[in-house]
Amino acid sequence: MSSLDLLGISKSFGATEVLKNIDIHVSEGEFIALVGPSGCGKSTLLRLISGLDEPTSGDVVLGQHVVNDLTPRERNVAMVFQSYALYPHMNVAENIGFNLRISGVPKAEINQRVADTAAILDLTELLTRKPSQLSGGQRQRVAMGRALVRNPSLFLFDEPLSNLDAKLRVQMREEIKRLHAKVRTTSIYVTHDQIEAMTLADRIVILNEGIIQQVGTPKELYTKPANPFVAGFIGSPSMNLLEGKLTQSGDTIQIELDGGVTLPCPQTAPQSASGRVIIGMRPEHLHLGEAAAGAINITGRLDHVEPTGAQNHLKVKFGKNTITATDNTLQDLASNAEVTLSLPTDKLHIFAN
Amino acid sequence: MSDQALSPAPRSAETSHPPLPETHFIRPPKKRGRRLFNSLQPWLFISPFIIIFCLFTLFPLTFSVYLSFQEWNPVTGLSGMNYVGVQNYVEAYDDPWLWKSLYNTFWLAIVSGVPQHLIAVPVAYLLVYAVRSSLRHVLTATMFIPFITSTVAVALIFYSIYSANTGILNQMLLGASKLPLIGALFAWVPDVMPIKWLTKSDLIKPAIAAVVIWKYTGFNIVIYSAGFVTVPQDVYDAAKVDGCNRLQQFWHVALPMIRPFIFFAMTLTIIGNLQLFEEPFILTSGDTGGVGQAGLTTSYYLYLVGWEWLEMGAAAAISWILFLIIAIATSIHFYFNGRKGMEGNR
Amino acid sequence: MSTKSLSLSATATAKYGFLIVSVLITIFPFVWVAMMGSHTRAEIFSAPPPFYFGDDILNNYQRLLEIMPFWLVLWNSLTVATLGTIGAVFFCSLCAYGFFAFEFRGKNIVFGLMVASMMVPPVLMLIPFFLTVKFLGLLDTHFAIWFPGVANAFGIFLVRQYMVSSISKELLDAAKIDGCSHFRIFWSVVMPLIKPAMATVGIVMFIGLWNNFLSPLIVLSSPDKYVLTLALRSVQSFANTPWGAVMLGTFLSMLPLLIAFLFFSRQMMAGLTAGAVKG
Ligand SMILES: Nc1ncnc2c1ncn2[C@@H]1O[C@H](COP(=O)(O)OP(=O)(O)OP(=O)(O)O)[C@@H](O)[C@H]1O
Ligand SMILES: [Mg+2]
């Protein structure tokens, strides 16, 4: 187990720069989730950390050592692949023990450690099966076992749960959380499921187009997104983002939305008065009901309602914009009814555009 | 409110744990050897191919171009080589045996090639659609046996079958002429006995062609069976609904669907048949191509020139001429059949 | 019986008749050679020749041993075919791995050259092959017959295609993470997964080497180095050829492959038509 530092990592494939100047510090024992849209370079970054690929520039540091020139074996990292990548010709026990065999661990010890790992993952019954005779969830656990059986300095997970159905995913997520609490090995976990990232990670790294957008705890990302990308990425349903500009008339600053609606701007917003901005409102912060004092009130027409069971998602039109608000009261609203949404001023996000 | 206060927030928020200063880290010395090894490793894996390719393909081919402009008897060693310009090619052009051998080659290629496919396609069709699959494998496998038998053995067997006085072929023809009913059909046989299959100039080529057909038809049957198996049943059903009878289904559905297989098998036949060597070589007893050189193919001639007459330069020239002819024949085949053949079923 | 079922059974008879005749024509020469191997010269040259098994096998066998060192020659064939097959299975897989697992500068050029070399007709290679063998001082050695085929383009291409279709790049990565060197990946992970392709290459190579006539013809000169094909062909031109013995030898020379075919017909057919079925 050790800490990980990425210093100015860039990676290009031919002319396309996939990762741009990545700096991350991961402390010993920390669980970091790496999220971002498809193709943003998450897998590429993992491969650079593991030593499967070389960065075009920059350094990978494990503990105190710059490991750029070391092979995956020398870095002693364990990795769980999206497609599991189990060896089809080996049974479960051989799959799990392969690394130990390669490292020349005595047979008796291999058997012991494989048995222990299998017990943790509830694989004991399956040790003699081939991967082709396993279900998706079982294969996933074998892939986990292959990483767990080692004593690696770093765990790397590349979307390990994305091939599972929703229920199994939740189950495995809890399993991973439990395992990490137990072994406390430094882990990097790639996913594009934000719920997975939020529930598992100590800190989340948000990547877009090869650039780090923000690093922070789940709460920081939710409450203080650094930019519209992060704001829209974290939270479900995603934040309403509207374009507009700040105007100053006398002492009051207002937000003039592109749809032709003007909202009052809270004094807290440190924005250039003349600049174009993007404002963000989380659906769950928009309260349906009467206009409230000291809040930003929006009046619009209900376009349609998307019921999800526990809450309704209201699509509300105002000006030229449509925004989403959640409604926990599940009240019946007439289509096209006029609704008022109020947002506490401290919940309004303003980003420079 | 000052402008300063309104300046935009930084695009990316500061990380909660700032990285340690770089000087803190231990940087191991660069391992040059490792980098070199890494970049050489793929070449290490493919080196067997590279070595053998250079040794037995690239260098020899280049050298044979050079050689075709030399006069050389290999017995004299390398120093016995004389540059003669295009003389080998000019002589080849004036060489009646070469022309004869080319004629024989094409004759054999066509007469031993076309029937292979004319037989193999319907047999494969029958095998796939009229025979139970367990029996089908036995039949197909049986017909495939000639292909895995060495040409030398095959040619020797046929050499004895074709034997003029006592060969079983002539004896069977004689026997047939004595049979009650069909005997009339073979009434001509006793008059022409013994039929000298391998020593009469106008019978040698058909005799050779028959052996080639016998040896390779089974191979084509296997390929075409594989082709017919890929045609899904519902295509036939659709054709039936459209009112096609069995023959029309074969002609309008099955044949077009196996076009890629036909194209592939034909390519192999063309390239293979233009290089026929072993069958004529053994059936004519490794002579000078049989009576009147009627069985002399170009490959066979090439062997004579190079190894019997020891004129390697001339032989090299002939081999390039033959190569050119094969390349042209294949290109023509690709040009006329290629596009349709490659398109396949989709 | 209705006319319809009559005509039906007529077409069925025609179909089966056609197939049966085809099969008979196919196997007749094999039966014939086996029979001839059991007759005396006098019997063979009688008219009509005997269409049954004779009782002169032992004599023919004696004669066969007199005209050629049959078992030595068979051993030579076996050596050549076995060495070439093992070599090809290993080295073709190794090279295929090189083309499959690495990205490197010049890869496409080398691969293209390799594919192009498959198009070169063997007859064009005859003289250059002879010269190389001569220059390397390998004339009259078995090595010159089996070695040039151990890293052949066809085999490499076939195995690589198989790897591409059956092994994911992630599997190689997983093995690297598990600490394997490339050779170890090749040996422990890839080789067990490409057995079918290796079997195909092995089958094609063995049959090809066993039946090979052309390269022994131009390479080998001493009779004790001869392989079966060459030895059989060389006794054809004897005066008063002992046909019974030659036919017996011919039959024995075909026997190993025929027996193998009896057990592995599916694999052998699939292997030898591998290029075709892939389209
Ligand atoms: N070997 C390569 N050669 C060229 N481009 C590559 C290579 N590997 C990845 N890329 C490109 O780099 C970008 C990032 O790829 P990467 O696999 O890291 O994305 P990702 O974030 O893991 O996406 P996903 O969530 O879909 O797995 C993509 O645009 C991809 O096309
Ligand atoms: Mg990925």
Side-chain angles (χ1 to χ4, degrees):
Chain A
M1 204 197 320
S2 56
S3 62
L4 168 75
D5 288 272
L6 300 179
L7 307 175
I9 295 274
S10 297
K11 175 70 180 175
S12 305
F13 292 109
T16 49
E17 196 173 19
V18 174
L19 292 174
K20 294 159 199 159
N21 200 24
I22 302 286
D23 278 304
I24 303 176
H25 169 79
V26 182
S27 318
E28 211 166 302
E30 202 176 8
F31 197 114
I32 294 279
L34 187 57
V35 294
S38 189
C40 70
K42 303 182 297 289
S43 299
T44 307
L45 188 58
L46 270 205
R47 293 172 58 84
L48 298 182
I49 298 171
S50 67
L52 289 170
D53 257 331
E54 282 181 50
T56 311
S57 65
D59 292 321
V60 180
V61 183
L62 270 177
Q64 304 290 297
H65 299 268
V66 176
V67 294
N68 290 2
D69 285 344
L70 300 190
T71 60
R73 175 193 187 132
E74 292 159 329
R75 295 183 193 194
N76 190 23
V77 294
M79 186 157 169
V80 180
F81 292 87
Q82 177 171 4
S83 66
Y84 313 141
L86 301 180
Y87 309 114
H89 57 296
M90 301 181 192
N91 66 27
V92 169
E94 290 165 332
N95 261 288
I96 295 178
F98 188 58
N99 165 266
L100 303 178
R101 203 177 102 205
I102 296 292
S103 319
V105 175
K107 239 200 166 79
E109 191 189 334
I110 295 182
N111 291 341
Q112 187 54 48
R113 281 167 71 177
V114 169
D116 293 347
T117 309
I120 295 175
L121 290 166
D122 204 10
L123 286 170
T124 311
E125 313 281 285
L126 308 174
L127 280 177
T128 54
R129 293 234 200 131
K130 290 273 172 70
S132 57
Q133 301 164 316
L134 300 177
S135 72
Q138 291 166 335
R139 281 179 213 182
Q140 210 287 326
R141 293 213 299 275
V142 177
M144 293 285 299
R146 215 162 51 168
L148 275 178
V149 76
R150 306 172 52 174
N151 208 347
S153 48
L154 203 60
F155 272 138
L156 302 173
F157 301 88
D158 193 354
E159 309 193 26
L161 305 185
S162 61
N163 285 342
L164 301 181
D165 65 42
K167 200 173 151 204
L168 209 49
R169 206 139 75 186
V170 173
Q171 208 177 321
M172 285 310 297
R173 200 164 77 200
E174 284 160 6
E175 195 81 344
I176 291 173
K177 189 149 184 132
R178 195 171 57 77
L179 284 170
H180 182 255
K182 196 162 145 195
V183 297
R184 299 233 50 101
T185 304
T186 317
S187 304
I188 315 260
Y189 188 103
V190 167
T191 175
H192 41 228
D193 179 344
Q194 47 150 323
I195 307 283
E196 225 168 85
M198 303 281 269
T199 50
L200 282 171
D202 298 326
R203 281 189 303 145
I204 297 176
V205 175
I206 299 200
L207 202 61
N208 188 32
E209 294 182 346
I211 298 170
I212 292 188
Q213 303 296 318
Q214 190 171 0
V215 181
T217 62
K219 191 171 167 204
E220 278 167 4
L221 294 187
Y222 182 78
T223 53
K224 285 186 239 144
N227 58 38
F229 180 82
V230 176
F233 201 80
I234 296 290
S236 173
S238 56
M239 189 187 272
N240 298 298
L241 292 169
L242 306 172
E243 290 191 35
K245 62 172 188 256
L246 291 186
T247 53
Q248 194 162 13
S249 60
D251 230 15
T252 54
I253 305 172
Q254 287 186 315
I255 305 162
E256 202 179 303
L257 294 179
D258 286 359
V261 180
T262 302
L263 299 175
C265 179
Q267 290 296 328
T268 50
Q271 300 294 332
S272 159
S274 55
R276 287 193 58 79
V277 292
I278 293 176
I279 64 158
M281 302 175 280
R282 292 209 181 271
E284 56 272 32
H285 295 153
L286 287 163
H287 299 295
L288 179 66
E290 298 298 304
I296 298 165
N297 297 308
I298 296 167
T299 310
R301 282 196 178 280
L302 183 68
D303 195 62
H304 63 275
V305 179
E306 290 174 354
T308 66
Q311 52 181 210
N312 286 341
H313 295 176
L314 312 179
K315 302 285 174 183
V316 176
K317 266 192 144 141
F318 78 101
K320 282 193 184 136
N321 300 301
T322 304
I323 59 173
T324 307
T326 58
D327 165 30
N328 296 332
T329 61
L330 302 182
Q331 55 189 285
D332 285 325
L333 291 167
S335 170
N336 231 355
E338 193 174 278
V339 291
T340 301
L341 301 168
S342 65
L343 178 80
T345 46
D346 60 334
K347 295 285 197 274
L348 181 71
H349 300 269
I350 303 179
F351 309 101
N353 189 2
Chain B
M1 194 177 279
S2 73
D3 242 27
Q4 190 60 42
L6 289 172
S7 70
R11 261 194 101 82
S12 93
E14 76 285 5
T15 56
S16 17
H17 306 260
L20 297 164
E22 180 159 350
T23 49
H24 206 82
F25 300 127
I26 303 158
R27 189 174 292 271
K30 279 232 183 308
K31 296 179 180 163
R32 289 197 181 281
R34 153 129 2 142
R35 297 211 149 247
L36 189 68
F37 175 74
N38 278 344
S39 60
L40 283 183
Q41 203 171 7
W43 295 97
L44 222 60
F45 273 89
I46 62 169
S47 61
F49 170 71
I50 305 259
I51 292 168
I52 288 179
F53 180 76
C54 290
L55 219 53
F56 288 99
T57 304
L58 197 59
F59 162 73
L61 274 183
T62 329
F63 187 75
S64 111
V65 177
Y66 170 78
L67 188 64
S68 72
F69 298 101
Q70 310 284 327
E71 185 184 73
W72 185 47
N73 179 337
V75 177
T76 61
L78 275 181
S79 53
M81 227 178 254
N82 275 327
Y83 178 74
V84 292
V86 294
Q87 193 192 323
N88 286 327
Y89 290 94
V90 173
E91 276 177 6
Y93 182 80
D94 290 332
D95 183 351
W97 279 32
L98 178 65
W99 286 104
K100 198 176 238 173
S101 78
L102 285 173
Y103 167 78
N104 291 339
T105 302
F106 274 100
W107 195 99
L108 278 174
I110 293 166
V111 176
S112 72
V114 175
Q116 281 179 40
H117 299 270
L118 291 185
I119 299 170
V121 171
V123 169
Y125 187 72
L126 264 187
L127 281 170
V128 171
Y129 295 108
V131 181
R132 272 179 296 117
S133 66
S134 53
L135 184 62
R136 185 200 308 161
H137 176 71
V138 174
L139 293 179
T140 323
T142 309
M143 295 183 199
F144 194 74
I145 296 178
F147 185 74
I148 60 157
T149 309
S150 79
T151 311
V152 174
V154 167
L156 280 175
I157 297 170
F158 274 89
Y159 189 77
S160 104
I161 289 175
Y162 281 138
S163 168
N165 289 311
T166 61
I168 185 82
L169 179 59
N170 279 348
Q171 295 300 330
M172 284 205 296
L173 288 175
L174 266 182
S177 73
K178 288 180 193 133
L179 285 178
L181 273 170
I182 44 173
L185 279 175
F186 293 90
W188 49 272
V189 172
D191 304 331
V192 293
M193 269 302 154
I195 307 173
K196 295 175 173 164
W197 293 104
L198 296 175
T199 46
K200 222 163 156 289
S201 62
D202 46 357
L203 290 182
I204 293 178
K205 279 196 284 288
I208 295 172
V211 177
V212 175
I213 294 169
W214 178 81
K215 187 166 194 287
Y216 294 98
T217 303
F219 174 77
N220 290 309
I221 289 174
V222 172
I223 291 185
Y224 291 139
S225 299
F228 284 124
V229 168
T230 63
V231 182
Q233 183 59 41
D234 53 6
V235 180
Y236 290 110
D237 293 341
K240 267 182 228 158
V241 171
D242 285 339
C244 286
N245 63 30
R246 262 277 165 214
L247 191 66
Q248 286 169 322
Q249 286 172 35
F250 172 73
W251 195 252
H252 295 291
V253 179
L255 265 192
M257 298 276 289
I258 65 157
R259 215 180 249 153
F261 292 85
I262 297 180
F263 176 74
F264 178 82
M266 273 175 70
T267 310
L268 289 186
T269 302
I270 291 172
I271 296 177
N273 278 8
L274 289 174
Q275 302 180 69
L276 278 185
F277 171 77
E278 295 174 16
E279 292 90 346
F281 183 73
I282 290 166
L283 288 171
T284 61
S285 315
D287 194 9
T288 50
V291 178
Q293 284 67 53
L296 186 69
T297 60
T298 308
S299 299
Y300 189 170
Y301 187 47
L302 165 74
Y303 173 78
L304 285 185
V305 173
W307 280 270
E308 299 290 332
W309 305 343
L310 299 174
E311 291 174 24
M312 279 290 167
I318 293 173
S319 77
W320 281 104
I321 292 171
L322 179 57
F323 171 64
L324 204 68
I325 286 169
I326 293 174
I328 291 172
T330 317
S331 315
I332 292 174
H333 167 57
F334 271 62
Y335 180 79
F336 283 105
N337 306 324
R339 199 175 314 153
K340 280 191 210 150
M342 301 295 209
E343 253 170 26
N345 315 336
R346 285 152 287 266
Chain C
M1 194 181 265
S2 71
T3 50
K4 185 165 178 211
S5 66
L6 235 178
S7 79
L8 250 182
S9 70
T11 51
T13 313
K15 275 180 205 164
Y16 281 104
F18 182 52
L19 290 175
I20 287 167
V21 169
S22 311
V23 167
L24 285 182
I25 292 176
T26 309
I27 59 174
F28 171 73
F30 295 98
V31 178
W32 175 248
V33 66
M35 283 180 178
M36 289 304 97
S38 64
H39 287 294
T40 62
R41 191 177 155 83
E43 283 167 331
I44 291 174
F45 283 90
S46 62
F51 197 76
Y52 50 83
F53 285 95
D55 48 15
D56 211 38
I57 289 194
L58 282 181
N59 280 328
N60 281 335
Y61 177 66
Q62 294 296 337
R63 289 287 290 136
L64 178 63
L65 295 190
E66 283 164 30
I67 55 174
M68 65 166 92
F70 181 78
W71 293 108
L72 173 69
V73 166
L74 184 92
W75 172 251
N76 289 344
S77 275
L78 198 63
T79 319
V80 166
T82 309
L83 289 175
T85 301
I86 295 173
V89 166
F90 180 75
F91 286 111
C92 289
S93 308
L94 194 74
C95 295
Y97 182 83
F99 285 116
F100 170 64
F102 298 95
E103 296 300 330
F104 54 95
R105 192 171 305 204
K107 168 172 155 173
N108 289 337
I109 295 171
V110 180
F111 195 74
L113 266 179
M114 188 186 86
V115 173
S117 79
M118 289 199 280
M119 316 272 175
V120 179
V123 66
L124 184 62
M125 298 302 303
L126 203 57
I127 292 169
F129 170 72
F130 173 74
L131 294 175
T132 313
V133 168
K134 189 173 156 68
F135 290 157
L136 295 175
L138 295 174
L139 274 182
D140 208 19
T141 62
H142 289 153
F143 186 76
I145 299 172
W146 64 263
F147 180 71
V150 298
N152 68 84
F154 161 81
I156 297 172
F157 186 76
L158 199 110
V159 178
R160 194 202 81 111
Q161 293 304 87
Y162 190 82
M163 287 175 177
V164 168
S165 69
S166 69
I167 299 178
S168 74
K169 287 279 168 76
E170 266 195 357
L171 198 69
L172 303 187
D173 289 341
K176 283 180 211 161
I177 295 283
D178 270 338
C180 293
S181 66
H182 270 292
F183 190 79
R184 190 69 199 253
I185 298 178
F186 170 66
W187 189 260
S188 300
V189 176
V190 171
M191 285 248 277
L193 295 177
I194 55 166
K195 278 183 193 148
M198 296 199 306
T200 301
V201 172
I203 286 168
V204 174
M205 287 308 290
F206 192 90
I207 295 174
L209 284 165
W210 185 267
N211 291 341
N212 190 359
F213 174 65
L214 211 45
S215 35
L217 177 68
I218 60 175
V219 168
L220 300 179
S221 49
S222 19
D224 63 334
K225 297 252 175 68
Y226 277 10
V227 292
L228 274 168
T229 48
L230 198 53
L232 285 171
R233 140 81 191 116
S234 71
V235 293
Q236 179 195 16
S237 42
F238 276 22
N240 283 333
T241 311
W243 276 110
V246 173
M247 288 295 111
L248 180 65
T250 306
F251 182 69
L252 291 177
S253 82
M254 306 186 310
L255 216 48
L257 287 188
L258 289 182
I259 292 172
F261 191 70
L262 207 57
F263 292 102
F264 304 111
S265 57
R266 279 178 206 278
Q267 292 89 325
M268 285 164 85
M269 284 157 71
L272 288 169
T273 55
V277 181
K278 300 261 154 55

